[in-house]
């Protein structure tokens, strides 16, 4: 499926002190719902370009770059999950003013799934449904797998986390970073349209020229790991989601174990 970004309006809006980058992928004149797309750790609005062509015949789709990622200028805001949840709430409020009377469905991937669930749990009256695509959920075991333990060791201490994020950014070229991420997060990177892959490159190049983003990546990763550490709190939060939920999770997910979604 080819990208729609070239024809999609985009811009910046100031929300809670951050210059938030957004993309409006469009939709029908009378959409069944307004879909707000929330990306995951290290992601951006371009992550949705293969999905939205399947949705915009029925739904109006908009996406934002969270603080610390993509083109959003964070100002003094943090990239932690809770703070980005507040940002999404402000973005949804603005989007609802532009689409009065249209029900809102949040679609979140990974960290964005966690944020979307938090939003739905805290503001049930504002959301008609939630789609969670491989969301951050506590693992079936109390201890994560080797990859989770390594991540916990790297990001538990802020200074170490920033070094890890900087190494991830600086030891590989932007093009290599894009390919590394696609190999980690997908089963068949070769199946992704080349135009969609190419649109990820400017985002990776921007990251190389904004070293302050290392701190935001580290902060976001550490707050995700806190979900594993406070498993009972996460369970209670997910249990408070009252709107209809579609949970989609890959059995071969290398980052969030499928067993956690089953649980």
């Amino acid at each position: 499926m080819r990208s729609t970004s070239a024809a999609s309006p985009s811009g910046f809006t100031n929300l809670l002190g951050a210059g938030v980058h957004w993309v409006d992928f469009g939709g029908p004149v009378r959409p069944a719902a307004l879909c707000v797309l929330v990306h995951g750790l290290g992601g951006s609005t371009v992550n949705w370009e293969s999905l939205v062509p399947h949705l915009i015949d029925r739904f109006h789709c908009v996406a934002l770059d969270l603080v610390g990622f993509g083109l959003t200028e964070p100002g003094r805001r943090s990239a932690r999950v809770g703070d980005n949840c507040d940002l999404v709430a402000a973005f949804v409020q603005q989007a609802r003013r532009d689409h009065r009377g249209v029900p809102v469905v949040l679609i979140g991937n990974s960290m964005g799934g966690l944020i979307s669930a938090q939003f739905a749990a805290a503001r049930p009256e504002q959301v008609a449904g939630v789609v969670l695509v491989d969301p951050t959920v506590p693992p079936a075991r109390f201890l994560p797998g080797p990859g989770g333990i390594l991540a916990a060791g790297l990001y538990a201490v802020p200074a170490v986390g920033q070094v890890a994020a900087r190494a991830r950014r600086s030891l590989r070229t932007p093009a290599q970073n894009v390919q590394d991420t696609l190999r980690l997060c997908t089963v068949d990177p070769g199946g992704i349209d080349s135009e969609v892959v190419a649109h990820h490159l400017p985002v990776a190049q921007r990251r190389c020229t904004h070293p302050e983003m290392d701190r935001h990546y580290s902060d976001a990763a550490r707050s995700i790991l806190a979900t594993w550490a406070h498993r009972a709190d996460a369970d209670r939060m997910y249990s408070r989601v009252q709107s209809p939920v579609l949970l989609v999770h890959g059995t071969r997910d290398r980052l969030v174990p499928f067993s956690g979604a089953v649980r």
Side-chain angles (χ1 to χ4, degrees):
M1 182 62 66
R2 300 192 67 79
S3 166
T4 61
S5 68
S8 301
S10 64
F12 292 84
T13 185
N14 189 281
L15 295 173
L16 306 180
V20 177
H21 174 251
W22 54 268
V23 175
D24 188 333
F25 292 107
V29 175
R30 293 181 176 83
L34 172 67
C35 292
V36 177
L37 311 173
V38 187
H39 66 75
L41 182 68
S44 69
T45 58
V46 296
N47 294 162
W48 301 107
E49 291 184 9
S50 291
L51 175 65
V52 290
H54 298 282
L55 300 178
I56 55 177
D57 59 333
R58 293 186 57 204
F59 309 105
H60 196 114
C61 295
V62 295
L64 75 158
D65 286 337
L66 298 172
V67 163
F69 304 99
L71 302 180
T72 287
E73 296 292 344
R76 296 181 178 275
R77 293 200 63 78
S78 160
R80 291 189 295 268
V81 167
D83 291 324
N84 266 319
C85 185
D86 292 340
L87 191 79
V88 169
F91 182 78
V92 169
Q93 184 177 13
Q94 178 172 291
R96 290 178 69 196
R97 288 197 296 267
D98 297 334
H99 301 271
R100 295 186 185 278
V102 180
V104 173
V105 173
L106 263 64
I107 303 179
N109 167 237
S110 191
M111 178 182 73
L114 175 62
I115 290 170
S116 298
Q118 284 192 356
F119 177 94
R123 301 170 176 84
E125 75 285 353
Q126 296 187 26
V127 60
V130 183
V131 181
L132 306 178
V133 184
D134 291 51
T136 299
V137 291
R141 298 179 297 163
F142 280 93
L143 285 177
I149 293 173
L150 175 61
L154 289 175
Y155 292 106
V157 179
V160 176
Q162 289 185 50
V163 171
R166 182 168 63 249
R168 179 178 178 272
R169 169 179 55 83
S170 60
L171 296 179
R172 305 280 282 169
T173 67
Q176 288 172 328
N177 273 322
V178 169
Q179 291 300 324
D180 290 345
T181 300
L182 293 178
R183 279 193 293 268
L184 177 65
C185 296
T186 67
V187 173
D188 180 21
I192 303 173
D193 186 271
S194 59
E195 185 178 350
V196 173
V197 176
H199 288 170
H200 283 72
L201 186 58
V203 180
Q205 290 171 331
R206 180 179 184 272
R207 183 172 174 80
C208 288
T209 59
H210 287 73
E212 71 277 7
M213 295 178 74
D214 297 335
R215 173 173 57 85
H216 294 298
Y217 187 97
S218 174
D219 288 348
R222 195 163 55 256
S223 70
I224 292 172
L225 291 168
T227 302
W228 283 348
H230 299 92
R231 159 193 203 98
D233 292 341
D235 286 350
R236 281 191 292 269
M237 182 277 293
Y238 275 106
S239 71
R240 290 198 303 271
V241 177
Q242 299 301 309
S243 58
V245 175
L246 172 62
L247 174 60
V248 183
H249 208 105
T251 58
R252 289 186 276 174
D253 190 324
R254 300 181 185 92
L255 301 176
V256 182
F258 178 67
S259 58
V262 173
R263 171 181 170 271

